[in-house]
Amino acid sequence: MTYTEVISRMVELMYVLHEQRWTSNSYHTIVTRFVERTERRFGRISNPGDSIMTDIQSCLPSEYAAVVSNAYPETKTQLIASEDIKYFIALWKQRGQKPLPFIAVLDEDFGHLLLKDTLWQCNDLESVVDQDPQRVLIQHGPVAAQYSTKVNEPVKDILDSIYYAHVEAILEKSYSGNLDSVPVIEYLGDSCTDNTAPLNNVRESETDSIRFFQLSDTDEKLLPNNQDWLQRLAGTEKSWLQALLTSPIVVQGTKYAANAVQKIVRPRLGQKVAISLQDRIPQSLTISNGKSGNVEVEIVHTSSSGNIFVTIFHPIDSGCAQLDLRFLHHPEIPAAPIHQDMDHLISAERDLYVQTYADNSDSPKAFVDVVDTDTVLRSSGFKITKEHVVSYCNNIGDRVWKPKPGLSGRIQVPVEYMFMPAVPQILSTFSSSSVDGGQLTIIQTHNKYQVFDGVQPVCIGDRVNTELFLDEYSNTS
């Protein structure tokens, strides 16, 4: 901290501004002596009349820092020197000094500083910063002991009595003790937007059972802002949909993560959105492709259990792959009302990998679930085409390889391409049930290629057979 920051903080903690009094006169002595020390550190005073202490004595304590910084601007940027830190500690350790209302240094005196002379703070809450009783260590003295009326009372009962007494006090103060007068809402949280004006370039219609939106299909610049779009879909009433679309985070086990649903439903060209309603309460949300009409995202809520099912559909050669995400709406936790089912997420990721990468239109059941290290995965008849090699080289940024015939008249394939025939088998191992923890946590550490002497190079037009042997499965998490 700088010198002016130290002075400002000392005044904040030791001076009761709204009552314009020092908590203790000894605190006034400490602050003024530290101001004198600061002046000696930065000042070049030849005449005692030039000292800022005259101004300090005539102004309010809340102005001390400003007086010092105006006289010595360096105090606003210069960090406090170690000698002055020791001087400050020595000030409050001197005999007769009232203990400080804060921990000045974490050392062997921590326990002494924490417990020394705390009773006065319990009896003078006005002097506590922000008058916050939660910042006060309440010792079990005579005042606190008068409320202990039971022997061996559990801590839960003590906290519950405080909680329910607080609720009763609020009920009496705000609703004259009448529980029926308390309004009922879906959950506590930020107020929903009352903006009912239609978004630009969005066609909207609404009936008692459905709300429908269709976005522009001409220019992405005409699409609405993502936050405005989410608020529009969420509606003006608090509901599970409002929580799902506007909550910035979701709870994943013991950690917070960014709400991916906000990206899933972001506005896209030609997109159609239908929200089904029952008694004005959203039941489901469906997003369809504007051109094909295929459903791309479906969100369904089960009111009885609070479960929210988010399904993402993705077209593949053999049909349609889908990623199923499960959430749970907790309206009783307004800070984080959406919780994700992580156990189901792992199996959902695996299913998506199986459908997208290990499956194919010719043999939908080609996926092999690798359950032990003795499994051998084989493939045959993979034909190497020029178009596929060119596409592969473009994707990996290989600008060295050129599709030109060699001396043999054939086009040789780059050695790293030989990874491709075994991709389905490799992905089978990644997507197998024995990999516990989710496909998104798998990290590929390295590749290795080895070319043997006397082996003819692989060329375009060849057919390749592969065998994959699993040497080791290890979990390093």
Side-chain angles (χ1 to χ4, degrees):
M1 298 176 67
T2 63
Y3 284 85
T4 53
E5 287 175 342
V6 171
I7 295 171
S8 177
R9 185 62 172 162
M10 291 172 67
V11 172
E12 180 183 359
L13 297 175
M14 301 180 185
Y15 183 75
V16 185
L17 181 60
H18 64 283
E19 292 186 351
Q20 295 188 0
R21 65 177 176 89
W22 291 95
T23 303
S24 169
N25 289 332
S26 63
Y27 290 165
H28 180 212
T29 302
I30 283 184
V31 175
T32 54
R33 291 183 63 179
F34 187 80
V35 172
E36 291 175 346
R37 174 80 174 195
T38 302
E39 184 172 37
R40 289 197 298 270
R41 172 68 66 182
F42 292 91
R44 300 290 185 269
I45 302 174
S46 57
N47 184 358
D50 296 335
S51 173
I52 63 172
M53 296 310 298
T54 303
D55 297 329
I56 291 294
Q57 294 172 1
S58 61
C59 69
L60 293 174
S62 57
E63 300 171 350
Y64 284 3
V67 172
V68 173
S69 62
N70 289 336
Y72 308 106
E74 313 95 283
T75 59
K76 293 188 294 184
T77 57
Q78 178 62 51
L79 298 179
I80 184 171
S82 58
E83 296 88 348
D84 294 332
I85 294 176
K86 295 178 181 179
Y87 176 78
F88 171 75
I89 295 175
L91 284 177
W92 60 262
K93 284 189 174 182
Q94 60 189 347
R95 181 180 295 274
Q97 175 61 50
K98 186 177 182 64
L100 298 179
F102 56 89
I103 304 299
V105 59
L106 295 176
D107 58 9
E108 64 274 7
D109 295 326
F110 174 76
H112 174 79
L113 294 172
L114 182 65
L115 299 174
K116 182 70 173 178
D117 198 22
T118 57
L119 288 177
W120 71 266
Q121 298 182 56
C122 304
N123 298 323
D124 186 11
L125 286 179
E126 294 298 324
S127 64
V128 178
V129 177
D130 296 333
Q131 293 75 57
D132 183 3
Q134 299 295 330
R135 303 189 185 190
V136 179
L137 176 62
I138 302 178
Q139 293 184 351
H140 196 68
V143 177
Q146 66 177 319
Y147 297 101
S148 299
T149 58
K150 295 181 181 180
V151 178
N152 297 328
E153 186 176 11
V155 174
K156 179 181 183 303
D157 294 346
I158 297 175
L159 296 178
D160 282 347
S161 64
I162 296 173
Y163 170 76
Y164 289 113
H166 191 196
V167 172
E168 290 179 3
I170 295 176
L171 182 64
E172 183 64 32
K173 178 180 179 180
S174 302
Y175 303 101
S176 302
N178 184 4
L179 188 61
D180 296 333
S181 300
V182 179
V184 178
I185 59 175
E186 179 70 17
Y187 63 92
L188 296 174
D190 294 337
S191 299
C192 301
T193 177
D194 292 331
N195 182 18
T196 57
L199 297 174
N200 293 331
N201 304 301
V202 179
R203 291 172 50 195
E204 299 183 30
S205 61
E206 182 174 353
T207 65
D208 292 339
S209 60
I210 192 170
R211 293 169 57 206
F212 181 79
F213 305 85
Q214 182 170 5
L215 297 174
S216 169
D217 59 356
T218 57
D219 189 351
E220 288 189 354
K221 296 180 180 180
L222 300 178
L223 295 178
N225 175 272
N226 192 40
Q227 290 301 318
D228 294 339
W229 173 246
L230 293 174
Q231 288 287 355
R232 191 63 176 165
L233 295 180
T236 58
E237 301 292 335
K238 290 187 181 295
S239 65
W240 64 269
L241 184 61
Q242 199 269 348
L244 180 67
L245 297 185
T246 62
S247 178
I249 60 171
V250 297
V251 179
Q252 294 182 340
T254 58
K255 65 180 182 180
Y256 292 145
N259 186 358
V261 177
Q262 294 182 340
K263 294 182 179 180
I264 294 173
V265 301
R266 70 182 186 273
R268 296 178 177 86
L269 288 176
Q271 193 176 67
K272 297 179 181 180
V273 180
I275 302 175
S276 64
L277 307 172
Q278 183 176 352
D279 298 330
R280 308 293 300 172
I281 300 176
Q283 302 298 310
S284 66
L285 181 147
T286 303
I287 300 178
S288 304
N289 185 289
K291 294 182 178 179
S292 65
N294 295 331
V295 175
E296 296 179 335
V297 179
E298 185 178 53
I299 303 176
V300 180
H301 176 247
T302 305
S303 57
S304 58
S305 61
N307 287 321
I308 302 173
F309 301 92
V310 179
T311 305
I312 305 171
F313 300 94
H314 178 67
I316 58 177
D317 292 340
S318 59
C320 185
Q322 64 184 54
L323 175 63
D324 297 316
L325 306 177
R326 294 182 183 177
F327 300 88
L328 188 62
H329 182 211
H330 284 276
E332 73 279 7
I333 310 177
I338 303 299
H339 293 225
Q340 188 166 6
D341 185 344
M342 298 305 295
D343 292 335
H344 178 266
L345 177 62
I346 294 175
S347 61
E349 290 174 354
R350 174 179 177 272
D351 292 342
L352 180 65
Y353 269 67
V354 170
Q355 295 175 75
T356 306
Y357 298 112
D359 216 352
N360 59 74
S361 58
D362 296 331
S363 180
K365 302 298 182 182
F367 172 72
V368 177
D369 191 0
V370 180
V371 295
D372 60 66
T373 57
D374 295 330
T375 302
V376 179
L377 300 178
R378 297 180 174 86
S379 69
S380 61
F382 182 91
K383 185 176 182 180
I384 302 176
T385 64
K386 178 180 177 180
E387 293 75 18
H388 194 246
V389 177
V390 170
S391 176
Y392 174 82
C393 292
N394 290 336
N395 288 332
I396 67 171
D398 186 350
R399 296 180 177 84
V400 177
W401 181 83
K402 301 296 182 183
K404 296 181 179 180
L407 297 176
S408 64
R410 304 183 67 194
I411 301 176
Q412 186 174 336
V413 175
V415 65
E416 59 267 28
Y417 178 80
M418 297 312 300
F419 177 79
M420 294 304 297
V423 164
Q425 286 69 42
I426 294 174
L427 291 173
S428 289
T429 63
F430 291 170
S431 306
S432 295
S433 57
S434 55
V435 179
D436 187 15
Q439 273 61 45
L440 298 182
T441 62
I442 297 175
I443 299 176
Q444 181 179 352
T445 57
H446 62 276
N447 290 327
K448 181 180 179 180
Y449 302 95
Q450 185 175 359
V451 180
F452 295 94
D453 294 336
V455 177
Q456 294 296 323
V458 179
C459 299
I460 289 177
D462 290 344
R463 291 185 178 272
V464 180
N465 301 331
T466 64
E467 286 188 348
L468 187 146
F469 301 89
L470 190 62
D471 288 337
E472 182 182 8
Y473 243 156
S474 61
N475 186 354
T476 59
S477 60

